[in-house]
Amino acid sequence: MTTVAPAGSRVIFERPELLIDRSTHYCPGCGHGVVHRLIAEVLGELGLGSRTIAVAPVGCAVFAYDYIGVDFVEAPHGRAPAVATGIRRVRPDAFVLTYQGDGDLAAIGTAEIVHAAGRGELLTAVFVNNGIYGMTGGQMAPTTLLGQRSTSSPGGREAAFHGYPIPMTEMLAIMPGVAYAARGSVVDAPAIGRTKQYLRRACEVQLEGRGFAIVEVISNCPVGWGMTPTESIERLRDVVAKQYRPGVIVDRTGEG
Amino acid sequence: MTTATIPPATLHHGHRVLMKGNEAMAEAAIRAGCDAYFGYPITPQAELLEWMARRMPEEGRPFVQAESELGAIDMALGAAATGARVLVSSSSPGISLMAEAMSYMAGAEIPMVLVNVMRGGPGLGGIGPSQADYFQATKGHGHGDYRVPVLAPSSIGEAMALMADAFELAERYRTPVFILADGTLGQAMEPVELHFREPARVADTWSVRGADGRQPRVVRSMHLEPEDLEQHNRHLQAKFAEISAREVRWAGENLEGADLVIVAYGTAARVARTAIARARAEGLRAGLFRPITLWPFPSAALAEVAARARGLLTVELSAGQMVEDVRLAVEGRTPVAFEGRTGGMIPTPGEVVEALHRLHAATTARPASATMEVRP
Ligand SMILES: Cc1ncc(C[n+]2csc(CCOP(=O)(O)OP(=O)(O)O)c2C)c(N)n1
Ligand code: SF4
């Protein structure tokens, strides 16, 4: 899209070309929309739109294909990394991206993500961790924090009863096939800016053929958390980011 | 010498060689232009995966041993969604895991060929040959209103020929296709006349390879609006009706004047053939009706054959699954008997001959009637 600016002014913000001009079905304040926008920006800036094949998850973001204007395959719940592996192997020239929530990636799809990472598949994985099952109505996820209430942990998550939250990205990062792993956040503009840099790097890592790259984005689910959008952002900053600390978790791209 | 040491360059269409079914099916798939193979080890199918592990890299084509059958079939789903010709193989317990993706592929209309070298169940069961997955293959497999073509070879040569046909059917109708084999067919060696054929490739208008100037495409099975989903289901049902009308296959042997007809497929049909030769020598007019497509089931053809017969005997390596379709086809107009073994056991020709004699006695003692029950 090109925006025509009146003479003397300049465009400082516009819709990225790969972000389809359509209002989303996401709840007000939901972080998925921010992550979609970042992906559209990065793919556009790297000129990858025409050769990207993305894989949509089962979860609120299954509709990513309605908002990001690239070819998509819809995966069964949790299987996006396997679907992406199949695409990768038969289409070496494609840029392959997966998008998954935390129920999708860290529960039902644990085997698929671990083995795709273990094989060092040339994939860029985007992992949106909102600590809850959004789509099915706010049940506990593997990433739900201790003490956090959900519709299936109504008294709050208890370690002795529900087990501990699983730090997926740190677990994946110990494997040699993982060239790059980082955790971003949608909490505020600077954090969003850093998340974009992580996403960009994770895409470059695939283009350079270095191995598997993953960016976890800690995000909010105001509806599932039972909060207003503002409260959910405060919780993301004050509680979630203290447990799932943003930053680069591993970068093996300098290892030759 | 095992066939694994046969140099593939010496395998030519029309030559006769001694080969295992699993290996022959694998090579037939390669020669049919299979672009990628994904699998997970399981007996009695492992030789197929091993053949692919060696041969696909030689051909410069992808082979991935996945983390599970879920992984394998979903890799296949991804590869096939880009328009690649993809083969997956497994045996019964693995096929159960693949049910999820089969349903997604049926819904998203993704072509693929899936070989099931059946073993005895339920559960972990055993590793002997079986036909106990007939219900699973023909009556749905995964969730939702869908059917997939099921091809049942009864010899290694036929399995090779059906491989090319399976890819063709899959691509013509944009559907997964099952090849339903059993442990005997997979693991026994027999002299085979090699059968290779590469179906022509037709450019498609649905697969995803990167939008590159056109409108982005989505390969999906989700239609959240009930009206949309019903519309999609109508479209699928119309396709299944077309397949049912056009793709039925079966073979008959000694049906001329036969008043006892064995209905059997795969390995059971081979046992039946031996039994029929003996029964005929003993004076019984027995013939064989062998379904090759288990779905669509050759119901109309069978009903016609049955109308001229005194009784049908269904022989299976199961407790009786296809026999339900046989009964449906004849709608009670012809008595239907059943002879089967389970758990990896194969009915002997002697047992089948005895069953034919019992059927003969039961159907000649009094005239065949619609209400008559024949349960030898
Ligand atoms: C096999 C299977 N099991 C369960 C579901 C129901 N289901 C849909 S989305 C979902 C979880 C989504 O949570 P998450 O991945 O965290 O994504 P979010 O919706 O929070 O973005 C579940 C359990 C399903 N579609 N398929
Ligand atoms: S339920 Fe949660 S994750 Fe889903 S759209 Fe609403 S806010 Fe976003």
Side-chain angles (χ1 to χ4, degrees):
Chain A
M1 185 188 79
T2 44
T3 308
V4 183
S9 49
R10 68 192 170 89
V11 176
I12 58 166
F13 193 75
E14 63 181 335
R15 185 174 55 79
E17 201 175 341
L18 291 175
L19 196 64
I20 296 169
D21 191 4
R22 170 185 294 163
S23 60
T24 74
H25 73 290
Y26 297 118
C27 308
C30 174
H32 275 304
V34 177
V35 181
H36 285 17
R37 183 191 165 91
L38 294 180
I39 290 170
E41 284 181 7
V42 167
L43 294 181
E45 288 163 17
L46 294 173
L48 294 173
S50 63
R51 63 184 177 108
T52 294
I53 305 176
V55 184
V58 173
C60 285
V62 57
F63 290 113
Y65 46 63
D66 284 341
Y67 311 129
I68 303 172
V70 298
D71 274 6
F72 261 95
V73 180
E74 185 184 87
H77 195 13
R79 319 282 176 236
V83 171
T85 297
I87 297 170
R88 165 83 293 144
R89 296 299 179 105
V90 294
R91 301 289 163 210
D93 296 335
F95 181 80
V96 188
L97 180 107
T98 59
Y99 190 112
Q100 296 185 267
D102 47 307
D104 200 69
L105 181 143
I108 195 167
T110 319
E112 286 76 12
I113 191 73
V114 166
H115 287 273
R119 288 188 301 265
E121 294 290 341
L122 288 181
L123 303 174
T124 301
V126 180
F127 165 31
V128 178
N129 175 5
N130 58 17
I132 204 136
Y133 284 28
M135 191 183 221
T136 43
Q139 296 84 7
M140 187 180 70
T143 47
T144 297
L145 295 178
L146 291 178
Q148 184 180 341
R149 286 175 202 276
S150 74
T151 55
S152 59
S153 57
R157 183 175 192 161
E158 277 179 61
F161 188 63
H162 303 101
Y164 295 90
I166 299 179
M168 275 311 288
T169 308
E170 279 82 356
M171 279 171 52
L172 295 173
I174 63 177
M175 288 193 285
V178 178
Y180 183 77
R183 180 182 291 120
S185 158
V186 296
V187 74
D188 54 22
I192 291 169
R194 282 191 296 275
T195 302
K196 182 175 171 182
Q197 294 316 311
Y198 300 150
L199 286 168
R200 192 184 164 98
R201 186 69 201 124
C203 292
E204 288 166 353
V205 163
Q206 179 183 152
L207 296 173
E208 292 162 8
R210 290 176 182 275
F212 185 85
I214 181 166
V215 178
E216 174 179 339
V217 183
I218 51 170
S219 185
N220 59 335
C221 173
V223 169
W225 294 0
M227 294 178 178
T228 65
T230 312
E231 287 164 354
S232 73
I233 289 294
E234 286 162 8
R235 176 176 184 272
L236 189 61
R237 183 188 59 221
D238 301 335
V239 180
V240 180
K242 301 268 157 61
Q243 302 286 322
Y244 295 111
R245 292 192 172 276
V248 175
I249 297 169
V250 78
D251 186 348
R252 294 193 172 86
T253 60
E255 292 172 12
Chain B
M1 181 183 94
T2 73
T3 53
T5 58
I6 293 181
T10 65
L11 298 173
H12 296 294
H13 181 85
H15 281 190
R16 272 179 90 75
V17 296
L18 192 65
M19 230 176 156
K20 269 193 183 188
N22 282 331
E23 297 169 342
M25 284 191 280
E27 188 61 27
I30 290 170
R31 305 296 179 97
C34 170
D35 294 312
Y37 172 89
F38 305 96
Y40 185 83
I42 185 168
T43 311
Q45 163 274 171
E47 299 85 0
L48 204 165
L49 173 134
E50 288 165 1
W51 186 274
M52 288 309 222
R54 188 170 61 94
R55 287 282 290 123
M56 290 299 272
E58 279 175 14
E59 298 286 328
R61 307 181 204 172
F63 162 92
V64 182
Q65 179 173 326
E67 59 273 17
S68 69
E69 287 85 353
L70 291 172
I73 192 101
D74 284 298
M75 290 174 194
L77 184 157
T82 75
R85 197 169 270 179
V86 181
L87 179 77
V88 171
S89 64
S90 187
S91 177
S92 311
I95 298 290
S96 291
L97 279 186
M98 292 176 171
E100 175 187 64
M102 281 291 269
S103 169
Y104 277 73
M105 285 197 250
E109 299 186 87
I110 302 177
M112 194 214 43
V113 176
L114 171 52
V115 177
N116 181 1
V117 185
M118 290 180 282
R119 60 188 244 180
L124 200 49
I127 57 171
S130 167
Q131 296 181 326
D133 302 345
Y134 178 94
F135 284 155
Q136 185 193 46
T138 60
K139 310 288 176 189
H141 191 206
H143 59 283
D145 257 341
Y146 78 92
R147 299 283 194 165
V148 300
V150 181
L151 305 177
S154 83
S155 69
I156 297 176
E158 187 177 34
M160 297 185 93
L162 287 180
M163 185 62 72
D165 297 358
F167 280 118
E168 214 160 44
L169 277 174
E171 289 163 22
R172 181 177 313 142
Y173 294 101
R174 281 186 61 184
T175 176
V177 173
F178 258 121
I179 293 183
L180 204 60
D182 60 64
T184 308
L185 206 69
Q187 297 208 308
M189 274 193 171
E190 64 183 9
V192 243
E193 185 171 320
L194 295 177
H195 195 291
F196 298 132
R197 181 171 75 86
E198 178 165 358
R201 291 186 195 253
V202 185
D204 73 66
T205 54
W206 60 270
S207 69
V208 291
R209 301 173 189 210
D212 203 10
R214 60 156 165 73
Q215 276 297 311
R217 291 177 181 160
V218 182
V219 176
R220 64 193 284 183
S221 63
M222 189 167 75
H223 303 268
L224 261 193
E225 294 302 325
E227 291 84 354
D228 293 348
L229 184 53
E230 183 174 56
Q231 196 49 44
H232 179 57
N233 268 286
R234 286 208 180 107
H235 158 73
L236 293 177
Q237 291 302 324
K239 177 168 85 174
F240 302 149
E242 190 188 340
I243 296 173
S244 299
R246 296 177 51 167
E247 305 297 346
V248 172
R249 296 189 194 190
W250 61 282
E253 292 171 31
N254 292 313
L255 287 177
E256 197 62 40
D259 47 29
L260 301 175
V261 174
I262 296 185
V263 188
Y265 68 96
T267 292
R270 300 177 64 148
V271 176
R273 187 175 293 135
T274 311
I276 286 166
R278 278 196 217 165
R280 291 179 79 88
E282 292 168 18
L284 295 180
R285 285 203 304 258
L288 174 66
F289 183 95
R290 181 169 72 84
I292 298 171
T293 50
L294 302 181
W295 189 85
F297 192 74
S299 304
L302 179 58
E304 243 183 83
V305 167
R308 296 191 297 269
R310 240 202 290 269
L312 303 182
L313 173 67
T314 306
V315 180
E316 296 180 63
L317 277 61
S318 80
Q321 300 195 5
M322 180 179 71
V323 66
E324 294 191 0
D325 284 334
V326 173
R327 292 204 168 105
L328 275 174
V330 302
E331 293 179 312
R333 283 191 282 265
T334 312
V336 177
F338 174 75
E339 181 70 25
R341 300 288 301 270
T342 66
M345 300 299 293
I346 302 178
T348 64
E351 287 165 354
V352 177
V353 173
E354 274 175 41
L356 282 172
H357 278 294
R358 284 197 299 273
L359 181 65
H360 176 71
T363 54
T364 46
R366 49 202 166 115
S369 83
T371 54
M372 191 172 142
E373 273 281 294
V374 181
R375 295 192 186 279

